[in-house]
Amino acid sequence: RYITTVNSATVLSSSEIRLTPNISSRRGAAVAMELIDFESSFEFQFESFLGNRNSGGDGMAIVFHDDDRGFNAIGSGVGCLVATNIQNGIMLDLDTHPDSGFPQDHGAIRRIGIGNAPGTLSPRIALPNLENGSYHPVVVSWNADSQTLEYTIDGMLAGSYTGDLITNYFNGSSLVYLAFTAGTGGRRNEHRIRFSSYCSLPFFVDVDGDGLSNHLDLDSDG
Protein backbone atom coordinates (compact mmCIF):
# COMPACT_ATOMS: atom_id res chain seq x y z
CA ARG A 1 0.00 0.00 0.00
CA TYR A 2 1.59 3.25 -1.16
CA ILE A 3 -1.03 5.82 -0.16
CA THR A 4 -3.69 5.91 2.55
CA THR A 5 -6.78 8.14 2.63
CA VAL A 6 -8.07 10.31 5.47
CA ASN A 7 -11.41 11.96 6.29
CA SER A 8 -13.45 12.59 3.09
CA ALA A 9 -10.86 11.06 0.76
CA THR A 10 -11.84 7.83 -1.02
CA VAL A 11 -10.01 5.42 -3.31
CA LEU A 12 -11.95 5.26 -6.60
CA SER A 13 -9.70 2.86 -8.50
CA SER A 14 -6.18 1.46 -8.55
CA SER A 15 -4.93 4.81 -9.90
CA GLU A 16 -7.46 7.43 -8.74
CA ILE A 17 -8.35 9.01 -5.40
CA ARG A 18 -11.16 11.47 -4.65
CA LEU A 19 -10.00 13.95 -2.00
CA THR A 20 -13.40 15.61 -1.51
CA PRO A 21 -16.87 15.12 -2.96
CA ASN A 22 -18.76 18.08 -4.42
CA ILE A 23 -20.23 18.86 -0.98
CA SER A 24 -19.66 21.86 1.29
CA SER A 25 -17.49 21.66 4.42
CA ARG A 26 -15.43 18.61 3.52
CA ARG A 27 -11.69 18.01 3.87
CA GLY A 28 -9.66 15.06 2.72
CA ALA A 29 -6.10 13.92 2.28
CA ALA A 30 -4.13 11.19 0.54
CA VAL A 31 -0.97 10.45 2.52
CA ALA A 32 2.04 8.59 1.10
CA MET A 33 3.20 5.68 3.25
CA GLU A 34 6.87 6.10 2.32
CA LEU A 35 9.21 9.11 2.61
CA ILE A 36 10.62 11.49 -0.01
CA ASP A 37 14.37 12.22 0.05
CA PHE A 38 15.36 15.86 -0.54
CA GLU A 39 19.07 14.97 -0.52
CA SER A 40 18.54 13.67 -4.07
CA SER A 41 16.96 15.28 -7.11
CA PHE A 42 13.56 13.92 -8.10
CA GLU A 43 10.57 14.51 -10.32
CA PHE A 44 7.08 13.07 -10.27
CA GLN A 45 3.81 13.75 -11.99
CA PHE A 46 0.13 13.17 -11.44
CA GLU A 47 -3.16 14.53 -12.72
CA SER A 48 -5.42 16.84 -10.75
CA PHE A 49 -9.17 17.27 -11.13
CA LEU A 50 -10.50 20.42 -9.48
CA GLY A 51 -14.19 20.20 -10.34
CA ASN A 52 -16.48 21.88 -12.86
CA ARG A 53 -17.91 24.80 -10.87
CA ASN A 54 -16.22 28.11 -11.72
CA SER A 55 -17.69 29.57 -8.55
CA GLY A 56 -16.54 26.58 -6.51
CA GLY A 57 -13.55 25.92 -4.28
CA ASP A 58 -11.28 25.66 -2.61
CA GLY A 59 -8.60 23.65 -4.43
CA MET A 60 -5.83 21.28 -3.39
CA ALA A 61 -2.21 21.28 -2.28
CA ILE A 62 0.86 19.08 -2.44
CA VAL A 63 2.39 19.05 1.06
CA PHE A 64 5.92 18.08 2.15
CA HIS A 65 6.57 18.06 5.91
CA ASP A 66 8.49 16.69 8.90
CA ASP A 67 5.74 16.92 11.49
CA ASP A 68 6.38 14.75 14.58
CA ARG A 69 3.01 13.08 13.99
CA GLY A 70 4.37 11.64 10.75
CA PHE A 71 1.77 9.91 8.59
CA ASN A 72 -0.95 11.00 11.04
CA ALA A 73 -0.30 14.74 10.58
CA ILE A 74 -3.52 15.95 8.98
CA GLY A 75 -4.15 19.65 8.52
CA SER A 76 -7.14 21.88 9.03
CA GLY A 77 -8.21 25.19 7.55
CA VAL A 78 -10.16 24.82 4.31
CA GLY A 79 -9.05 28.27 3.14
CA CYS A 80 -5.45 27.03 3.47
CA LEU A 81 -6.30 23.86 1.53
CA VAL A 82 -6.32 21.69 4.66
CA ALA A 83 -2.62 22.27 5.38
CA THR A 84 -2.85 24.57 8.42
CA ASN A 85 -1.44 23.05 11.63
CA ILE A 86 0.95 20.69 9.89
CA GLN A 87 4.38 21.49 11.35
CA ASN A 88 7.76 21.87 9.61
CA GLY A 89 6.60 21.90 6.03
CA ILE A 90 5.67 23.58 2.80
CA MET A 91 2.67 23.43 0.51
CA LEU A 92 2.36 23.78 -3.26
CA ASP A 93 -1.02 25.37 -4.01
CA LEU A 94 -3.54 24.67 -6.73
CA ASP A 95 -5.92 27.28 -5.38
CA THR A 96 -9.32 27.85 -7.02
CA HIS A 97 -10.77 30.18 -4.39
CA PRO A 98 -10.80 33.86 -5.40
CA ASP A 99 -8.65 35.68 -2.85
CA SER A 100 -8.96 39.36 -2.04
CA GLY A 101 -7.33 41.26 -4.88
CA PHE A 102 -6.48 38.03 -6.72
CA PRO A 103 -9.60 36.57 -8.35
CA GLN A 104 -7.91 34.04 -10.66
CA ASP A 105 -7.09 30.42 -9.98
CA HIS A 106 -3.47 30.48 -8.91
CA GLY A 107 -0.41 28.65 -7.64
CA ALA A 108 2.20 29.50 -4.99
CA ILE A 109 4.69 27.76 -2.71
CA ARG A 110 4.07 28.50 0.98
CA ARG A 111 5.56 27.47 4.31
CA ILE A 112 3.28 25.93 6.93
CA GLY A 113 3.57 25.36 10.66
CA ILE A 114 1.50 25.00 13.81
CA GLY A 115 0.33 28.39 15.03
CA ASN A 116 1.41 30.14 11.85
CA ALA A 117 -0.62 31.25 8.87
CA PRO A 118 0.98 29.98 5.66
CA GLY A 119 3.75 32.30 4.51
CA THR A 120 4.50 32.85 0.84
CA LEU A 121 7.80 31.48 -0.48
CA SER A 122 6.99 32.19 -4.13
CA PRO A 123 4.69 34.85 -5.61
CA ARG A 124 1.18 33.83 -6.56
CA ILE A 125 0.99 32.99 -10.24
CA ALA A 126 -2.30 33.36 -12.10
CA LEU A 127 -3.43 30.17 -13.84
CA PRO A 128 -6.14 29.50 -16.43
CA ASN A 129 -9.48 28.17 -15.27
CA LEU A 130 -8.77 24.85 -13.50
CA GLU A 131 -12.43 24.12 -12.69
CA ASN A 132 -13.38 23.02 -16.18
CA GLY A 133 -14.30 19.39 -15.52
CA SER A 134 -11.00 18.07 -16.91
CA TYR A 135 -7.89 16.47 -15.49
CA HIS A 136 -4.77 18.65 -15.52
CA PRO A 137 -1.22 17.21 -15.54
CA VAL A 138 0.97 18.40 -12.65
CA VAL A 139 4.76 17.94 -12.55
CA VAL A 140 6.76 18.49 -9.32
CA SER A 141 10.56 18.65 -9.60
CA TRP A 142 13.39 19.15 -7.10
CA ASN A 143 16.99 19.87 -8.12
CA ALA A 144 19.15 18.99 -5.11
CA ASP A 145 22.24 20.68 -6.58
CA SER A 146 20.63 24.09 -7.17
CA GLN A 147 18.12 23.55 -4.30
CA THR A 148 15.27 24.58 -6.58
CA LEU A 149 11.73 23.27 -6.21
CA GLU A 150 9.28 23.89 -9.07
CA TYR A 151 5.88 22.67 -10.13
CA THR A 152 3.82 23.10 -13.27
CA ILE A 153 0.21 22.48 -14.25
CA ASP A 154 -0.74 22.04 -17.89
CA GLY A 155 2.90 22.85 -18.65
CA MET A 156 2.63 26.30 -17.00
CA LEU A 157 4.84 27.28 -14.08
CA ALA A 158 2.74 27.43 -10.89
CA GLY A 159 5.54 28.09 -8.40
CA SER A 160 9.33 28.09 -7.99
CA TYR A 161 11.52 28.41 -4.89
CA THR A 162 15.28 28.20 -4.45
CA GLY A 163 16.68 27.74 -0.95
CA ASP A 164 17.66 25.30 1.80
CA LEU A 165 14.34 23.59 2.46
CA ILE A 166 15.90 20.92 4.69
CA THR A 167 17.39 23.41 7.16
CA ASN A 168 14.85 26.20 6.97
CA TYR A 169 11.54 24.35 6.70
CA PHE A 170 11.99 20.60 7.31
CA ASN A 171 13.57 20.87 10.76
CA GLY A 172 16.89 19.54 9.44
CA SER A 173 15.43 16.33 8.03
CA SER A 174 16.02 15.37 4.40
CA LEU A 175 13.45 12.55 4.55
CA VAL A 176 9.96 14.05 4.64
CA TYR A 177 6.34 13.05 4.36
CA LEU A 178 4.17 13.69 1.29
CA ALA A 179 0.44 14.38 1.28
CA PHE A 180 -2.18 15.62 -1.16
CA THR A 181 -4.85 17.69 0.60
CA ALA A 182 -8.09 19.40 -0.45
CA GLY A 183 -11.05 21.11 1.16
CA THR A 184 -14.42 22.70 0.52
CA GLY A 185 -16.13 25.41 2.54
CA GLY A 186 -19.16 27.43 1.49
CA ARG A 187 -17.73 27.04 -2.01
CA ARG A 188 -17.41 23.46 -3.18
CA ASN A 189 -16.08 21.21 -5.91
CA GLU A 190 -15.07 17.62 -6.31
CA HIS A 191 -11.28 17.20 -6.05
CA ARG A 192 -9.45 14.15 -7.37
CA ILE A 193 -5.90 13.00 -8.13
CA ARG A 194 -4.82 10.32 -10.58
CA PHE A 195 -1.49 8.54 -11.13
CA SER A 196 -0.17 6.50 -14.03
CA SER A 197 1.49 4.38 -11.31
CA TYR A 198 2.04 4.90 -7.60
CA CYS A 199 5.43 3.30 -8.17
CA SER A 200 6.43 6.42 -10.11
CA LEU A 201 6.54 8.42 -6.88
CA PRO A 202 10.18 8.88 -5.75
CA PHE A 203 9.89 7.19 -2.38
CA PHE A 204 12.98 6.50 -0.26
CA VAL A 205 12.92 2.71 -0.11
CA ASP A 206 16.02 0.95 1.24
CA VAL A 207 15.47 -2.81 1.10
CA ASP A 208 18.91 -3.81 2.40
CA GLY A 209 19.14 -1.05 5.05
CA ASP A 210 22.47 0.38 3.88
CA GLY A 211 21.26 3.99 3.93
CA LEU A 212 20.98 4.27 0.15
CA SER A 213 17.63 4.42 -1.58
CA ASN A 214 17.08 1.53 -3.98
CA HIS A 215 17.19 3.77 -7.04
CA LEU A 216 20.72 4.95 -6.08
CA ASP A 217 22.02 1.61 -4.85
CA LEU A 218 24.46 -0.52 -6.88
CA ASP A 219 24.25 -3.74 -4.87
CA SER A 220 21.65 -6.49 -4.61
CA ASP A 221 18.59 -4.28 -4.07
CA GLY A 222 19.50 -1.94 -6.95
Side-chain angles (χ1 to χ4, degrees), residues 185-204:
R187 297 175 183 267
R188 56 185 170 85
N189 255 321
E190 183 179 17
H191 302 92
R192 289 182 252 153
I193 55 175
R194 185 169 67 186
F195 298 87
S196 59
S197 169
Y198 294 129
C199 294
S200 65
L201 290 168
F203 295 134
F204 182 88

Side-chain angles (χ1 to χ4, degrees), residues 107-144:
I109 299 175
R110 297 193 282 171
R111 64 130 172 96
I112 51 177
I114 292 176
N116 296 313
T120 301
L121 300 182
S122 73
R124 289 184 296 185
I125 295 176
L127 299 170
N129 177 34
L130 301 177
E131 304 156 294
N132 61 358
S134 299
Y135 266 99
H136 301 269
V138 178
V139 179
V140 179
S141 62
W142 165 249
N143 187 311

Side-chain angles (χ1 to χ4, degrees), residues 3 24 30 32 38 57 62 69 75 92 106 114 125 136 165 189 220-221:
I3 291 181
S24 298
F38 272 79
I62 304 108
R69 294 170 294 171
L92 284 57
H106 56 277
I114 292 176
I125 295 176
H136 301 269
L165 291 172
N189 255 321
S220 59
D221 72 2

